[in-house]
Amino acid sequence: MSIEKVFVPLWTILYYVLPYFTTYGSLRNIPGPFLARFSNTWVAYHARQGQKFAAVDRAHRKYGPLVRIGYNHVSIADERGIQTVYAHGNGFLKDHFYEAFVSGVPGVFNTRDRVEHTRKRKIVAHAFSPGAVAAFETHMAENLHRWVTQLDRIAATPASDGYARVNMMPWCTYIAFDIIGDLAFGAPFGMVDKGRDECEAQLTPNGPITLAAGAETLNRRGEVSSTLGLLLSLKPYAKYLPDPFFSKGLHAIQTLHGIASIAVSKRLDAVEKKDANQNSRHDILDMLVRSKGPDGNPMQRDELTSEALTQLIAGSDTVSNTSCAIIYWILQGERAAPGTILPRLQKELDTAIPNDNTIATHAQVKTLPFLHRCIDEGMRIHSTSALGLPRIVTSPQGFTFTSASASSTHFPTGTVLSVPSYTVHHSASIWGPDVEAFNPDRFLPDRLTASQKMAFNPFSYGPRACVGQNVAGMELGLIVGTLFRRYEMLLRQDGLESMEGFSKKPGSCWVGIRRRV
């Protein structure tokens, strides 16, 4: 018998099987897929397929609210988990999963160190103060005007039924990218005007400037990082793997950093040359440039680039995916129950927005109750941030979770815990038997139960919650409010297929569109 025939099985047992009985022996009684007991291969495979949210949801439906989805990873499909796993002062850290998302220096999103995250968040949060966010509307409005011009052009060439046919997913991407480009880098990427996915990128310092597909690059980056985050030991060798998913994804990470680098460089160079227009802008990058840390020093250029890249990713990916999904579900809700959604929404918008307004203003839409119930219901059903954000138990005493059924489970130090937003948002025990239906009125204040308030989690919770959620909320109100005030639309597809990277992206949203009279 050769040494290989002995060594390989022995190594496999020691590496994968022994920890099952020793280090993580206390998790043996938690049910889950067989392969997940020994490694992260099961969950990483589904991440590679872009369907981790669906696989985890199926596992919960089969095994119950606690599911072991990795050798040391337990998914908790219980609304109480949101306020315990992600709460302030619970002694948890972001899992090593986030290290796969670092390009350059860590940003506020992927910094794992608690002290460093606090420092970064204080700086970044200043850029999202109420006063700062209000000043952003001017930049949003300029881009929305360009967006409406393009949609008017499309609507002007209708088919025989009076409606032009258009896929709203790319157009939601273009407007989201241009707005965040304007806010985070000082100028839109020009996607709306060009009608295509295109950005400038600089892959090496002082290297040539090339054109890249920004949204496609962002999608690939999210998909490969979400997969490698579950198999970190593979990351150094990923470019050599035969599956091109990995080599293309790693190139996307480099390209995305290059998009941020050239945009930040252009802006800072303009400021250094005393460009009056750049110095007078009130936007995210301006706030970051002028901010100082606890030591009184400003951010260095590499840190500025990382933070601007974080805003690009968070501000474009989530808003484009969410706005597209909301459009789909509003139209699907009207299709399923004619006369119950669109007439109410358009009557509310018509009352708030004057006829001579091309686009909505934040003042006009920020307090419209039915519009915001539609937005909330769209975010619940689609769940753009669908995956369970992993946190690692660091307390020497471990952590005991008490579920809604009052049963308690103890998790030792080193256990990774997450709460899958998609599954919690689709729980019939929380939301009722019509959980899969688009029903904005479930968000009426007097109808929301304590469990539902606890379960609704579109922007995460606690100290790591989305710092830009007020900006995202403003954008969604302006995009959705403008669109349904100005246009009549009909849904031209059945079902909304989605792929998941870090966030969940609709594949398409084909509609018929025409100007309202």
Side-chain angles (χ1 to χ4, degrees):
M1 180 180 293
S2 68
I3 190 170
E4 291 85 0
K5 291 183 179 179
V6 175
F7 176 76
V8 173
L10 180 61
W11 181 87
T12 302
I13 291 171
L14 291 175
Y15 190 82
Y16 289 105
V17 180
L18 186 61
Y20 172 75
F21 293 101
T22 56
T23 310
Y24 302 106
S26 59
L27 304 181
R28 286 206 307 273
N29 293 328
I30 297 175
F34 177 78
L35 189 59
R37 303 175 190 179
F38 307 101
S39 75
N40 284 341
T41 309
W42 178 84
V43 69
Y45 168 79
H46 291 291
R48 163 64 184 88
Q49 304 304 313
Q51 295 295 311
K52 176 176 173 280
F53 75 96
V56 171
D57 185 59
R58 288 193 300 269
H60 278 290
R61 293 178 189 275
K62 179 177 181 179
Y63 297 109
L66 296 183
V67 176
R68 189 174 185 176
I69 63 173
Y71 68 96
N72 69 335
H73 189 164
V74 176
S75 179
I76 303 175
D78 186 312
E79 68 274 19
R80 297 187 182 210
I82 295 170
Q83 295 189 1
T84 53
V85 172
Y86 304 111
H88 288 267
N90 61 6
F92 289 14
L93 284 178
K94 278 194 168 184
D95 183 41
H96 296 283
F97 168 82
Y98 289 88
E99 294 170 9
F101 292 83
V102 177
S103 61
V105 301
V108 68
F109 164 72
N110 44 38
T111 296
R112 297 185 62 241
D113 181 82
R114 216 177 265 117
V115 174
E116 182 66 1
H117 174 263
T118 299
R119 180 187 75 83
K120 287 179 177 289
R121 189 176 177 95
K122 283 182 179 178
I123 294 173
V124 174
H126 177 66
F128 294 99
S129 65
V133 170
F136 295 162
E137 185 175 1
T138 300
H139 307 305
M140 294 182 187
E142 291 170 356
N143 288 285
L144 279 168
H145 276 290
R146 287 190 284 268
W147 191 60
V148 164
T149 298
Q150 292 285 51
L151 293 180
D152 282 355
R153 178 184 57 80
I154 293 169
T157 56
S160 57
D161 64 355
Y163 289 85
R165 180 177 165 86
V166 61
N167 181 4
M168 287 303 300
M169 185 64 242
W171 288 100
C172 288
T173 298
Y174 303 156
I175 184 60
F177 259 84
D178 275 5
I179 286 176
I180 198 61
D182 222 346
L183 296 181
F185 302 116
F189 290 108
M191 288 190 184
V192 169
D193 283 342
K194 290 179 285 191
R196 61 179 180 270
D197 177 15
E198 187 177 274
C199 298
E200 289 184 345
Q202 190 173 36
L203 302 186
T204 57
N206 303 315
I209 297 174
T210 61
L211 295 178
E216 180 183 342
T217 297
L218 181 55
N219 292 335
R220 283 185 173 173
R221 176 261 190 192
E223 291 163 3
V224 77
S225 296
S226 293
T227 302
L228 288 176
L230 299 162
L231 300 169
L232 272 176
S233 59
L234 273 184
K235 187 179 178 183
Y237 315 103
K239 63 182 178 181
Y240 303 112
L241 296 176
D243 186 351
F245 168 85
F246 293 100
S247 57
K248 290 180 178 179
L250 292 174
H251 181 70
I253 293 173
Q254 182 186 11
T255 301
L256 198 63
H257 192 84
I259 291 171
S261 295
I262 188 62
V264 169
S265 293
K266 281 185 174 182
R267 176 66 180 280
L268 296 184
D269 290 345
V271 171
E272 289 170 4
K273 292 175 183 176
K274 308 299 182 184
D275 185 319
N277 291 327
Q278 293 295 332
N279 283 328
S280 64
R281 285 182 60 91
H282 297 285
D283 56 29
I284 295 171
L285 190 58
D286 177 62
M287 298 284 185
L288 294 177
V289 168
R290 291 191 287 108
S291 64
K292 290 181 172 58
D295 57 3
N297 293 322
M299 282 188 177
Q300 298 301 304
R301 184 171 289 213
D302 58 349
E303 189 175 16
L304 277 172
T305 300
S306 289
E307 296 305 342
L309 176 59
T310 296
Q311 301 313 317
L312 168 62
I313 295 167
S316 61
D317 202 29
T318 54
V319 170
S320 62
N321 298 342
T322 303
S323 58
C324 179
I326 291 169
I327 293 165
Y328 171 87
W329 281 107
I330 287 174
L331 295 176
Q332 171 58 27
E334 178 65 19
R335 173 194 278 176
T340 63
I341 306 295
L342 284 181
R344 294 173 66 187
L345 178 59
Q346 290 179 326
K347 180 180 179 181
E348 185 178 73
L349 292 169
D350 289 345
T351 302
I353 305 170
N355 284 336
D356 57 354
N357 277 38
T358 303
I359 64 170
T361 68
H362 186 49
Q364 291 163 353
V365 300
K366 67 180 180 180
T367 59
L368 298 184
F370 191 68
L371 169 65
H372 287 281
R373 292 204 300 274
C374 286
I375 290 172
D376 286 348
E377 179 69 339
M379 290 195 293
R380 180 193 70 82
I381 295 182
H382 179 69
S383 304
T384 294
S385 180
L387 56 83
L389 301 171
R391 300 290 187 264
I392 189 166
V393 178
T394 57
S395 169
Q397 293 77 37
F399 169 73
T400 300
F401 174 70
T402 302
S403 69
S405 63
S407 62
S408 295
T409 305
H410 183 75
F411 299 105
T413 303
T415 306
V416 174
L417 301 176
S418 61
V419 182
S421 293
Y422 180 87
T423 298
V424 172
H425 285 173
H426 286 256
S427 170
S429 64
I430 297 172
W431 300 98
D434 68 339
V435 65
E436 300 300 332
F438 182 79
N439 177 15
D441 286 342
R442 74 173 78 248
F443 280 92
L444 282 166
D446 60 349
R447 292 191 189 180
L448 273 177
T449 67
S451 292
Q452 289 169 345
K453 292 177 183 177
M454 196 182 299
F456 187 53
N457 186 42
F459 296 106
S460 193
Y461 179 84
R464 296 282 192 157
C466 175
V467 70
Q469 58 185 281
N470 291 331
V471 175
M474 178 190 288
E475 280 188 72
L476 292 174
L478 293 174
I479 290 171
V480 178
T482 293
L483 192 70
F484 284 96
R485 172 65 175 84
R486 191 169 182 84
Y487 304 100
E488 296 282 359
M489 287 185 290
L490 296 174
L491 196 57
R492 298 298 197 201
Q493 69 180 44
D494 295 321
L496 188 67
E497 299 296 328
S498 297
M499 287 287 289
E500 183 185 40
F502 184 79
S503 60
K504 188 154 68 74
K505 179 183 182 68
S508 65
C509 181
W510 286 98
V511 304
I513 186 171
R514 70 182 182 189
R515 282 286 303 276
R516 293 182 68 203
V517 177

